[in-house]
Amino acid sequence: MAVERNAVEAHLDSLLTGPWSTPTTLPQTLAAPATDGLALVDAQQSAERIATIKSLLADEADIDQFATILDTPATMTGRTRAELLTLLAVSWQSPRNDWAAAVKSSHKTTTDTLDAVKIVPTDNVNLVSAQGSIPFTVINDLPDEAANVVLRASPSNSRLEIDQDVTKRILADSRATLLVPVKAKLGNGQVILSSAFTVPPAFPSAHRRRSRSRCTPTGKASGR
């Protein structure tokens, strides 16, 4: 989407430096007399275009929620909103502009961003004592943003007890291992560990990404 942003900046520069235009404020514009001979006309939008716009708005909502894991969510949400407004420009309705390709690129950018912070399935782990820790690796592939996550694991039965959530700040373009403390209860057998990361309580909302692992107290834990 960097190409589209550059195009918008070039258009704005052209408008501001043109001899036939003068920058003004919104109140001045609203107070100015109407130009004779011009009128706004409603144009019916196709169902396909409306559906595409709804999908772009859904992407923006997903990014808004995901961005809560960042120190400053506005660094991501502001950029996303600017790119969305670019895609909604009427100039894309020209046959010379490939709006479908631009929308496809935007959807891919959203998917890549949402997948940038993820839980990696656990490797084999021997839990041979009554207490121990199950390691989970969380990857932050965002190139310039640290992620603040809380890893929350829950067992599928009472053979295993989870002591607490684990909080971690993961630097940009890096990975970290989060150790979830567990206690083995009476009885042997397989336990399914469901893990999800959210954000610390100080953040306004939560973005959850889930993973599952199998764990056998005094046996093995394997990724799934």
Side-chain angles (χ1 to χ4, degrees):
M1 298 301 294
V3 175
E4 286 82 358
R5 288 201 302 272
N6 292 337
V8 170
E9 291 174 359
H11 287 314
L12 289 175
D13 289 340
S14 176
L15 288 173
L16 293 174
T17 58
W20 42 266
S21 65
T22 303
T24 187
T25 64
L26 179 59
Q28 290 173 331
T29 301
L30 295 175
T35 302
D36 294 334
L38 298 178
L40 294 176
V41 178
D42 290 335
Q44 185 68 33
Q45 300 296 312
S46 67
E48 180 181 5
R49 178 175 171 81
I50 292 174
T52 300
I53 291 174
K54 286 182 178 180
S55 71
L56 292 171
L57 292 173
D59 282 356
E60 184 194 25
D62 288 341
I63 291 295
D64 284 349
Q65 187 180 43
F66 175 82
T68 59
I69 68 175
L70 308 180
D71 293 333
T72 308
T75 59
M76 178 177 290
T77 59
R79 182 171 62 247
T80 300
R81 170 52 64 93
E83 294 172 351
L84 172 61
L85 293 176
T86 299
L87 286 172
L88 297 181
V90 294
S91 59
W92 284 108
Q93 298 188 53
S94 169
R96 294 174 300 175
N97 297 325
D98 194 347
W99 190 53
V103 168
K104 182 178 180 180
S105 175
S106 177
H107 285 322
K108 183 180 185 304
T109 297
T110 297
T111 299
D112 291 345
T113 300
L114 297 178
D115 288 341
V117 182
K118 52 186 172 289
I119 303 170
V120 179
T122 58
D123 295 327
N124 290 340
V125 176
N126 291 323
L127 186 62
V128 296
S129 61
Q131 299 185 38
S133 297
I134 303 296
F136 289 87
T137 298
V138 178
I139 297 176
N140 176 16
D141 283 336
L142 295 172
D144 52 9
E145 298 277 5
N148 303 283
V149 303
V150 174
L151 184 67
R152 181 169 299 159
S154 57
S156 61
N157 58 55
S158 59
R159 293 189 182 97
L160 204 65
E161 181 180 287
I162 307 296
D163 285 344
Q164 61 189 32
D165 299 337
V166 181
T167 302
K168 190 77 172 181
R169 174 181 169 82
I170 306 172
L171 298 178
D173 198 19
S174 65
R175 63 175 60 199
T177 299
L178 284 70
L179 299 176
V180 177
V182 300
K183 293 179 181 178
K185 310 299 285 186
L186 294 176
N188 295 325
Q190 188 179 88
V191 180
I192 302 296
L193 282 179
S194 297
S195 59
F197 74 74
T198 178
V199 296
F203 289 71
S205 63
H207 175 76
R208 295 176 174 84
R209 307 290 284 184
R210 300 187 179 278
S211 178
R212 301 184 73 190
S213 301
R214 288 176 180 160
C215 178
T216 303
T218 71
K220 293 184 179 179
S222 59
R224 179 182 178 186

